[in-house]
Amino acid sequence: MDAESRKIPTHEVTYARLRDMILYGHLEPGAAVTIQGLVSDLGAGMTPVREAIRRLSAEGALEAQGNRRVSVPKMTAGMLDQVAFARLTIEPKLAEMAAANLTPALILRLESIDAQVDRAIRKGDIPAYLEANHAFHFCLYEASDAPVLVDMARSMWLRFGPSLRVVCAQHGADALPDQHGQALAAMRAGDAAGLKAAIELDLAQGVDQVRLALEQGNI
Amino acid sequence: MDAESRKIPTHEVTYARLRDMILYGHLEPGAAVTIQGLVSDLGAGMTPVREAIRRLSAEGALEAQGNRRVSVPKMTAGMLDQVAFARLTIEPKLAEMAAANLTPALILRLESIDAQVDRAIRKGDIPAYLEANHAFHFCLYEASDAPVLVDMARSMWLRFGPSLRVVCAQHGADALPDQHGQALAAMRAGDAAGLKAAIELDLAQGVDQVRLALEQGNI
DNA sequence: GTTCAAGAAATTTGATCAAATTATTGAGGT
DNA sequence: ACCTCAATAATTTGATCAAATTTCTTGAAC
C-alpha cells in the first residue's frame, strides 16, 4: 500500500508467492491448484492468479491436465533422470562461469547465507533450509552473468522443489547435503574447477536422495 | 467453430499463434509486443492475449522491459553463447534418446518432412523452411519420451527463432544448413551415435551462421 | 524573433475486476 | 448402465482505473 509496494504489480507479487509455495514445498506433489482457491487464499483478483498459474505452467512448475485442471506435478523416475541430467549439465557450468566474476564481497555474502543454511539444519527447520539453500545456489549462479542458463536452472529447481521437500520431511533436515563448505573453500582459493566439482557433488547428493525415496515409493 | 475447435480454448490458440509468429520470424528482434495490438490483430480478447504473453515471457520468447512493455529480445553475443551451449547439450542428447524409440513409420514421417525442407529451400520459401525444419527436429525429439528436455529445447528455439529468420533473409534460403540427410541415414542404420553427431553438426552450423551475422552487426 | 527546454495535457497502453458464459464432474434417477 | 441435471470451476468479455509515453504549449534565454 506504500509508495514502494504500489509500484510492483499484483500479478508479479502473486506469481512470486505461488512460485515460493511450490519451491519451498508448501504444495505437495499431486496437489490440485485452482484459480478460485488461490483467489481466496492469496486475496488477489482472478486475472493476476490466472497469469501466475500460466507462467508457472510454462516454467514446468505446474502441470495442465488437459481438462482445465492444474496441479503440482508428481515426480516420476523418467522426469527425475531428465531433471538430473539438465541440472548436472547447467549448474556446474554456471558455478564455473560465476567463479570468474567472484568478488570478496560476494564470497562474504555467500558465507553468510551458508551460515543460515547451517542454522536451519541444526534447528531442523526445513522451510528455512530450503529457502537458504536456494538462496545460496542462485546467489552464486547469478554472478555468472548468464541469465538464459540461470532461467533454465530456475525451471529445474521448480520441478525439483516439491519432491525435495517430501524427502526432507521424511529424513529430517540433518540428513541433508551441505557441500557448501567445499564450494566456499574453492571460491576463496579462486579454484573454478574445484567449485564446479563441489557444486556437482552437492547436486548429485540431492538427486540421489530423491531417487532413493522415489524407488521406495515414498513420493 | 466445429466441435473440434470448440474444445480447444481461446488462450491456447492465441498462445500457439503468437508463439509461431515468434518462432517463424514474423516478428523481428526488438519489435514491441502490445496487448492491444494483438487483441486487434488476432481478434482475441484481452485475457487470452495477456496469458499468451506471460507464457511466452516465461519461456524466454519475449522480454519484459521493466516499464510494463514487452518486446522480442534482440540477440547478443552473450545470449548466443548460452543458447548455443544449452542447445548443443540438450538436443544431441534428445536425438540419441530418440534413436532408441525410432520405428520405420516414424523414419518415414521424418523423411517426408525433410522432403518439405528441401522443397522450401529450392523455392527459397523461408517461412516454409523454418516451419519444416522445426517440425523435423521436434518430430525427432518428441520420440525421445523426455518431455522435460523437449520443453527446454523448445525454449531455446524460441530464443533463437527471430535471429535465424533475419539471417535467412540476408543469405537466402539455399545457404542454409541441411544436415538432415546424414541424420536420416544414421536413423535407417540404427546408429544412435551417428544420429547424435549429425544433429550436433546441424545445430553448430545454424549457430555459426547467426554468430557470423551478429559479429558483422547484421542483427 | 527564434530556439530550446520544462512542464502539463492528451493519448496510448497496461492492470485489475466483476459479471456472463461455458465446460466438466458427480450425483441421482430411469 | 446410461442419461439428465445441478453444482462447481474455468473461460471470456467488457468496463474501469492507473501508469507511461508522447505531444503540445509556454516561457525564458540568446
Side-chain angles (χ1 to χ4, degrees):
Chain A
M1 208 64 91
D2 317 331
E4 307 295 314
S5 58
R6 183 177 289 256
K7 284 187 181 176
I8 165 171
T10 309
H11 68 263
E12 288 288 350
V13 178
T14 306
Y15 164 77
R17 289 227 276 161
L18 182 53
R19 180 201 58 201
D20 288 351
M21 285 170 68
I22 298 166
L23 202 49
Y24 305 140
H26 297 280
L27 293 175
E28 288 175 25
V33 173
T34 69
I35 294 176
Q36 312 266 347
L38 290 174
V39 165
S40 51
D41 286 0
L42 301 183
M46 203 173 237
T47 308
V49 168
R50 286 182 70 86
E51 293 183 10
I53 290 176
R54 294 275 182 266
R55 275 175 77 173
L56 287 161
S57 300
E59 291 174 325
L62 294 174
E63 188 177 44
Q65 293 177 338
N67 46 350
R68 300 170 148 210
R69 305 283 165 97
V70 173
S71 60
V72 181
K74 269 188 284 197
M75 185 64 85
T76 65
M79 257 190 59
L80 182 57
D81 288 342
Q82 296 168 54
V83 172
F85 171 78
R87 291 191 64 192
L88 286 167
T89 304
I90 305 282
E91 295 185 41
K93 169 82 170 182
L94 280 171
E96 193 182 20
M97 292 173 78
N101 301 331
L102 282 178
T103 62
L106 197 51
I107 295 178
L108 221 60
R109 201 166 127 65
L110 284 162
E111 282 169 342
S112 129
I113 297 175
D114 186 44
Q116 288 180 21
V117 174
D118 287 339
R119 215 172 307 139
I121 291 179
R122 271 199 309 278
K123 286 202 290 188
D125 185 345
I126 293 170
Y129 164 77
L130 291 171
E131 203 163 331
N133 186 49
H134 176 268
F136 181 85
H137 280 263
F138 281 88
C139 180
L140 174 61
Y141 298 161
E142 265 157 21
S144 68
D145 197 34
V148 174
L149 299 180
V150 172
D151 276 358
M152 296 179 75
R154 260 185 236 289
S155 172
M156 292 305 116
W157 277 67
L158 281 168
R159 295 182 191 261
F160 203 70
S163 303
L164 189 58
R165 162 58 197 261
V166 173
V167 171
C168 288
Q170 286 166 359
H171 284 54
D174 35 52
L176 293 168
D178 184 5
Q179 216 63 32
H180 300 170
Q182 288 266 350
L184 284 165
M187 291 182 215
R188 286 188 215 100
D191 175 10
L195 175 57
K196 184 180 172 184
I199 294 295
E200 210 167 323
L201 191 59
D202 188 48
L203 300 192
Q205 287 185 356
V207 168
D208 283 345
Q209 294 259 18
V210 172
R211 182 170 285 132
L212 201 66
L214 199 60
E215 281 166 1
Q216 294 172 350
N218 292 332
I219 296 184
Chain B
M1 209 67 89
D2 317 332
E4 307 294 314
S5 58
R6 181 177 291 255
K7 286 187 180 176
I8 164 172
T10 308
H11 69 262
E12 288 287 350
V13 177
T14 306
Y15 163 78
R17 291 228 275 160
L18 182 52
R19 180 201 57 201
D20 288 351
M21 286 169 69
I22 297 166
L23 202 49
Y24 304 141
H26 298 279
L27 293 174
E28 287 175 27
V33 172
T34 69
I35 294 177
Q36 317 239 351
L38 290 174
V39 164
S40 52
D41 286 359
L42 301 183
M46 206 174 230
T47 308
V49 168
R50 287 183 69 85
E51 293 183 8
I53 290 176
R54 293 276 182 266
R55 277 176 74 174
L56 287 161
S57 300
E59 291 174 325
L62 295 174
E63 188 176 46
Q65 292 178 337
N67 46 350
R68 303 168 144 213
R69 301 290 160 97
V70 174
S71 60
V72 181
K74 270 189 283 199
M75 184 66 83
T76 64
M79 256 190 61
L80 182 57
D81 288 342
Q82 296 168 53
V83 172
F85 171 77
R87 290 193 65 191
L88 286 167
T89 304
I90 305 282
E91 295 185 41
K93 168 83 170 180
L94 280 170
E96 193 182 20
M97 291 173 78
N101 301 331
L102 282 178
T103 62
L106 197 51
I107 295 178
L108 221 61
R109 201 166 128 64
L110 284 161
E111 282 168 342
S112 131
I113 296 175
D114 186 44
Q116 289 180 20
V117 175
D118 287 339
R119 216 172 306 141
I121 290 179
R122 273 198 310 277
K123 286 202 290 187
D125 184 345
I126 293 170
Y129 163 78
L130 291 170
E131 202 162 332
N133 186 48
H134 176 268
F136 181 86
H137 280 264
F138 281 88
C139 181
L140 174 61
Y141 298 160
E142 265 158 19
S144 68
D145 197 34
V148 174
L149 299 180
V150 173
D151 277 357
M152 295 179 76
R154 259 185 236 290
S155 172
M156 292 305 115
W157 278 66
L158 281 167
R159 295 182 192 261
F160 203 70
S163 303
L164 189 58
R165 162 58 195 261
V166 172
V167 171
C168 287
Q170 286 167 358
H171 285 52
D174 36 53
L176 292 168
D178 184 5
Q179 215 62 32
H180 299 169
Q182 289 266 351
L184 283 166
M187 290 182 215
R188 287 187 215 99
D191 175 11
L195 175 57
K196 183 180 173 183
I199 294 296
E200 209 167 325
L201 192 59
D202 188 50
L203 300 192
Q205 287 186 355
V207 168
D208 284 345
Q209 294 258 18
V210 172
R211 182 170 285 132
L212 202 66
L214 198 61
E215 281 165 2
Q216 294 173 349
N218 292 331
I219 296 185

